[in-house]
Amino acid sequence: MPGKKPLLHRFHAWRYKHISKTTFIYFLAILTGLLAGLGAVLIKNITHIIQMLLEGKLVENYRYGFYFLFPIIGLAITVLIVKYVIRNPLSHGVPMTLRAISKRKGLLKNYQIFGSLLTAPITVGFGGSVGLESPTVVTGAAISSYLSRIFHMDQANRTLLLGCAAAGAMSCIFKAPIAAIIFAVEVFSLDLTLLSLMPLLLASLSAILTSYFFFGSDTILPFELKDAFTIADFPYYMILGVVAGLVSVYFSKAYFKTSKLYKRWDSALIRLLVAGGSLGVLLFLIPPLYGEGFDMINELLDGKAVNALGETFFNDYLDNVWVVIALLAGLVFFKVIASAITFAGGGIGGIFAPVLFMGSVMGNCLAKIINNLGLDGVYISETNFTLVGMTGLLAGVLHAPLTAIFLIAEITGGYGLFIPLMVTAAIAYGINKYFLPHSVYGMELGLKGELITHDKDQAVLTLLNVNDVIESNFIRVRPEMTLGEMVKNAVAKSARNLFPVVNENDELVGVITLDDIREIMFDATLYDTTTIGSLMHAAPEYIYLESDPAKVVMRKFQESGAWNLPVIKDGKYHGFISKSKLLTAYRRMLVSFSRK
């Protein structure tokens, strides 16, 4: 029918008339949770199919050789898919989502919906030493970003839907709906108000129902509490918290240093070959590092540490408990290195599973050490320490202690260990926070001052785009111009009382205001003899567009006492920012941010 509006336009007109904004947000939260859950199901099942195909007789008969070969093949296929199918760079899930919130107003590119869906299962299915949680989160986040665009959501509600996607993904994967909500609040720094809590709850609920529909009642880490917590164990859990805190610091530092080491090769092919070869050697020597590692975690929770180690070069010595302890300590040391190498080689995945793996092995190893020191009357439950160790390391590495506590409690039913979970998480988080100001997810953004935090002022300044407050309608003058030329060509034609002084290369050499020339502006005898260069002065401060976020800009205004500051871009004059316009933009952003 000619002139008939598209269906989506008619739907928008109908919903604006009949559905309240809050109700529609609830509907989108349910839809986001459902789609994020379906994304989790797809990623998990594709990975499982790949692993099943690879675990045939050939691998069984030549296991060690394929520990070396498969990860390299997986990384190569992943790199080829990114280069020739997706044709856009892919980065790791949660950090990429945090960057989208802080720098892109919550917008993710559409290819990110299927990017991780294609690449993460291949990386992990072929033995890459990473997890599937972050790719699942970014898949859900990209879906929610797409929904927010087609349904005309503002930035605050886009951010809320990203949190709903994260909650949905985690809820579906771990069957831990409460921990999923807390994860969205802690990691994405959402305000926990009634307006934000209900959408998160609905998204988490729809996702866990999706998980039950496809996966049944099975949990990823089944656990039955056999050794009850007693107050006599409390000091040992405090020791576990300290160890977890120190290991979490090691995790973050080793992760970034290993990544930096492999970034020295600019060529993706060389980086693939070097990283792939390094990973292959590491997995050949230490087979338990192969893949996510949940099978080993479950073996440890069953008290079968020797079985968990699998086939190693030290099989003949595993009757010696100290050999087992040494091998477990080696797994803690090398897992993060294997994960960082997987990413360096072009693999797509996340660090959530590696953290759980390291935490479980660390807890089990520490319990064995304590139990074999020969202390009279001292026995520590190795399965409980395995469980609580995961909480400690998660709390430290992610800077998310509540997520760690509720996640482990929910997925294992280990509520009888709530006190040990709390004390271990609190100590580990405190130690990591003392040494490292940001979590491993937010480290890069945090060091640039671009990380969203629960501090509302800080969050608003992070979201504020400096480009939006730059004014460029200032008439430029040259230092060699005379006073008469300036009066005729600048003052008479400008509505501003400020003039940037630039050289022939557009580099700012000074500023001049009407106050600087007010007393001599009408003295015609000075028009031809006085140059602008003799009247100009330096700006009280300069704003560098490439490196100064809004927080730094605000501080420069406060320290200089100026009302206008020049902006420098690529070494050249770019415009001015006025204090009044910056504060107006800040107030508007604060109002918008507070409505979430």
Side-chain angles (χ1 to χ4, degrees):
M1 198 174 161
K4 192 173 183 180
K5 292 183 178 179
L7 180 62
L8 190 59
H9 287 184
R10 283 182 282 151
F11 172 77
H12 286 316
W14 176 84
R15 74 149 173 119
Y16 287 139
K17 185 176 181 180
H18 295 93
I19 303 178
S20 70
K21 184 177 181 181
T22 300
T23 302
F24 193 66
I25 290 295
Y26 291 167
F27 166 75
L28 287 182
I30 294 172
L31 182 59
T32 297
L34 173 64
L35 294 175
L38 289 175
V41 170
L42 276 174
I43 289 177
K44 272 287 186 185
N45 283 338
I46 294 172
T47 305
H48 181 68
I49 290 170
I50 293 173
Q51 290 172 335
M52 290 292 291
L53 291 174
L54 296 180
E55 291 175 359
K57 278 287 184 184
L58 187 63
V59 179
E60 184 179 338
N61 295 334
Y62 301 97
R63 181 173 298 175
Y64 287 116
F66 282 97
Y67 276 134
F68 174 80
L69 186 60
F70 277 158
I72 301 176
I73 296 173
L75 292 179
I77 296 174
T78 300
V79 170
L80 290 174
I81 290 175
V82 172
K83 185 173 183 179
Y84 295 106
V85 178
I86 300 173
R87 298 182 181 180
N88 282 283
L90 284 179
S91 56
H92 313 309
V94 175
M96 180 165 61
T97 308
L98 291 174
R99 181 176 294 279
I101 293 174
S102 64
K103 302 302 292 180
R104 292 181 49 81
K105 299 184 178 180
L107 297 172
L108 285 87
K109 300 289 183 66
N110 287 342
Y111 70 83
Q112 291 165 331
I113 294 175
F114 59 87
S116 296
L117 196 64
L118 292 175
T119 55
I122 292 174
T123 299
V124 177
F126 276 82
S129 197
V130 291
L132 295 171
E133 296 76 21
S134 284
T136 306
V137 168
V138 78
T139 299
I143 292 172
S144 74
S145 177
Y146 176 74
L147 291 175
S148 70
R149 285 199 301 274
I150 65 174
F151 291 118
H152 302 166
M153 295 292 105
D154 57 24
Q155 182 176 352
N157 285 315
R158 275 199 303 272
T159 303
L160 178 57
L161 287 178
L162 289 178
C164 289
M170 298 299 287
S171 179
C172 183
I173 292 172
F174 291 108
K175 285 191 173 70
I178 303 302
I181 294 172
I182 297 172
F183 173 81
V185 172
E186 283 193 303
V187 175
F188 291 89
S189 297
L190 299 178
D191 276 349
L192 189 58
T193 64
L194 185 59
L195 290 176
S196 63
L197 180 59
M198 276 303 297
L200 291 172
L201 189 153
L202 292 172
S204 184
L205 177 61
S206 63
I208 196 172
L209 291 176
T210 304
S211 179
Y212 274 107
F213 181 81
F214 285 99
F215 296 134
S217 58
D218 293 338
T219 58
I220 199 167
L221 294 173
F223 176 80
E224 182 179 346
L225 182 63
K226 299 175 182 177
D227 303 311
F229 167 74
T230 65
I231 195 64
D233 297 331
F234 190 81
Y236 300 104
Y237 284 106
M238 292 183 67
I239 295 173
L240 178 59
V242 173
V243 173
L246 295 175
V247 172
S248 71
V249 173
Y250 162 73
F251 183 101
S252 298
K253 289 185 176 293
Y255 175 79
F256 285 108
K257 286 185 177 180
T258 304
S259 301
K260 186 178 179 180
L261 178 66
Y262 282 87
K263 285 180 180 178
R264 67 172 68 181
W265 290 283
D266 295 329
S267 169
L269 177 60
I270 295 177
R271 198 161 54 245
L272 167 65
L273 294 175
V274 175
S278 302
L279 180 63
V281 170
L282 198 57
L283 298 184
F284 178 79
L285 296 174
I286 315 175
L289 298 179
Y290 190 94
E292 287 185 282
F294 282 113
D295 289 341
M296 179 167 187
I297 295 174
N298 285 317
E299 292 277 12
L300 292 176
L301 289 174
D302 284 341
K304 302 174 182 177
V306 174
N307 290 347
L309 290 171
E311 297 289 331
T312 72
F313 295 107
F314 301 93
N315 276 5
D316 295 337
Y317 307 96
L318 293 183
D319 54 342
N320 186 327
V321 68
W322 290 104
V323 172
V324 174
I325 289 171
L327 291 175
L328 292 174
L331 290 176
V332 175
F333 182 84
F334 285 109
K335 180 64 175 180
V336 62
I337 296 174
S339 299
I341 293 174
T342 302
F343 290 133
I348 301 299
I351 63 163
F352 210 96
V355 172
L356 291 177
F357 178 94
M358 283 180 61
S360 66
V361 177
M362 172 200 69
N364 192 276
C365 181
L366 180 60
K368 280 182 166 57
I369 291 173
I370 295 173
N371 288 338
N372 287 277
L373 286 177
L375 303 175
D376 290 337
V378 175
Y379 172 77
I380 296 298
S381 171
E382 294 180 5
T383 56
N384 288 358
F385 257 52
T386 300
L387 183 70
V388 179
M390 290 189 281
T391 298
L393 206 61
L394 270 178
V397 173
L398 270 60
H399 282 198
L402 293 177
T403 298
I405 293 168
F406 281 93
L407 178 67
I408 301 304
E410 280 192 284
I411 64 179
T412 61
Y415 286 99
L417 296 175
F418 223 71
I419 293 176
L421 292 173
M422 291 172 66
V423 66
T424 304
I427 293 173
Y429 169 73
I431 291 174
N432 190 285
K433 186 74 173 176
Y434 177 81
F435 289 102
L436 300 171
H438 306 289
S439 73
V440 71
Y441 284 148
M443 184 70 73
E444 184 179 349
L445 287 173
L447 293 176
K448 295 179 180 178
E450 298 173 353
L451 182 65
I452 302 294
T453 71
H454 286 286
D455 181 337
K456 189 168 289 188
D457 286 335
Q458 171 67 41
V460 171
L461 286 173
T462 301
L463 292 170
L464 188 60
N465 190 345
V466 174
N467 283 287
D468 294 339
V469 293
I470 297 175
E471 299 176 272
S472 56
N473 59 337
F474 294 85
I475 296 179
R476 308 179 189 195
V477 297
R478 295 288 182 85
E480 64 271 14
M481 285 178 62
T482 63
L483 177 61
E485 290 173 325
M486 178 179 174
V487 171
K488 179 181 178 181
N489 300 319
V491 176
K493 297 179 180 180
S494 176
R496 314 301 296 258
N497 65 351
L498 180 63
F499 303 90
V501 184
V502 299
N503 61 21
E504 62 277 4
N505 296 320
D506 257 358
E507 296 169 336
L508 188 71
V509 294
V511 294
I512 188 167
T513 66
L514 284 183
D515 287 341
D516 294 326
I517 61 172
R518 193 178 304 278
E519 295 182 359
I520 61 173
M521 186 168 54
F522 300 108
D523 188 348
T525 61
L526 299 175
Y527 278 11
D528 297 327
T529 58
T530 305
T531 63
I532 301 306
S534 64
L535 299 172
M536 70 179 186
H537 57 83
E541 187 57 88
Y542 298 89
I543 296 169
Y544 299 95
L545 192 58
E546 296 89 354
S547 60
D548 289 352
K551 182 179 180 181
V552 174
V553 173
M554 193 72 82
R555 189 181 71 240
K556 287 185 175 182
F557 271 108
Q558 182 177 356
E559 293 175 353
S560 67
W563 281 97
N564 293 279
L565 289 177
V567 179
I568 307 299
K569 181 181 180 181
D570 297 326
K572 297 183 178 181
Y573 164 77
H574 187 64
F576 275 86
I577 293 179
S578 70
K579 190 175 186 178
S580 60
K581 189 165 185 176
L582 180 65
L583 292 174
T584 299
Y586 169 80
R587 284 192 292 270
R588 287 174 180 168
M589 181 69 71
L590 183 62
V591 170
S592 174
F593 189 82
S594 299
R595 286 176 180 166
K596 287 199 296 185

